Amino acid sequence: MTLAGLVLAAGGGTRFGRSKALVSYEGEPLVARAVRMLRTGGCAPVLTVLGADAEAVRATLDLADTVVNPEWATGLGSSLRCGLAALPDTVEAVVIALADQPLVGPDAVDRLAAAWREGAVAAVATYAGQWRNPVLLSRGRWPEVVASATGDAGAGPWLRAHTGIVTPVPCDGTGSAYDIDTPADLQALED
């Protein structure tokens, strides 16, 4: 069973003032942390979707597979569509992570993968009962997700519309879904 990882890291970081993928936390670019987290969690291959500052971001990734979303400025939805389309045909499911959530741990990926091996077609990490990232989607659901991924909406609209088949996976104790949107968010994390 082939479980891939997909890191969405194409945004320009408008609220942050620069590409968040290049922001360093604990001495490591956020995008590299996300790739490492998915690899450690057992995903292979791991594909990173780039956009803004693509060459600079690519330079931070050691031997990581990348694809450039030419429509990155239209929002997260186009990056999700681009990434799913670029995954090899052998991939049966994918764990999708965001580059700006450096505290998500590989154990969350392990738990999502376990839910998939037990039959989940879609799974979402929960923290304190709240749906967050990462999410897992089996390949059979990708066309429906792609159809609903527009603007800054990724898999969220599809997940909310199909709660009956989405498996919530408690990930408390595996890390945190805290995301960095502004320099103040990063500063709060470092304090």
Side-chain angles (χ1 to χ4, degrees):
M1 296 175 74
T2 304
L3 178 63
L6 183 62
V7 178
L8 302 182
T14 305
R15 289 176 286 176
F16 197 89
R18 65 185 174 111
S19 175
K20 291 185 286 182
L22 294 169
V23 171
S24 184
Y25 175 67
E26 294 185 343
E28 184 178 29
L30 293 181
V31 67
R33 287 180 70 91
V35 169
R36 182 173 49 81
M37 180 268 303
L38 288 169
R39 284 181 176 161
T40 304
C43 295
V46 174
L47 178 67
T48 304
V49 181
L50 307 177
D53 302 313
E55 289 310 309
V57 175
R58 184 178 281 130
T60 70
L61 298 171
D62 180 38
L63 303 174
D65 293 329
T66 61
V67 62
V68 175
N69 173 13
E71 299 176 4
W72 67 267
T74 64
L76 185 70
S78 66
S79 290
L80 179 58
R81 292 191 309 271
C82 178
L84 291 176
L87 287 169
D89 291 341
T90 55
V91 171
E92 298 170 76
V94 64
V95 175
I96 303 161
L98 305 178
D100 65 356
Q101 296 182 323
L103 302 181
V104 171
D107 288 343
V109 177
D110 288 338
R111 291 181 186 187
L112 291 169
W116 173 59
R117 285 190 298 273
E118 293 169 8
V121 296
V124 61
T126 66
Y127 300 86
Q130 299 297 308
W131 285 21
R132 299 297 306 265
N133 288 299
V135 300
L136 179 144
L137 298 169
S138 63
R139 185 176 208 95
R141 299 300 170 178
W142 296 2
E144 300 166 23
V145 172
V146 163
S148 69
T150 60
D152 275 329
W158 184 87
L159 292 166
R160 286 187 294 277
H162 296 86
T163 57
I165 60 170
V166 175
T167 303
V169 177
C171 290
D172 302 290
T174 68
S176 165
Y178 181 87
D179 63 4
I180 297 173
D181 287 326
T182 67
D185 294 336
L186 178 62
Q187 187 62 49
L189 191 58
E190 292 176 332
D191 287 344

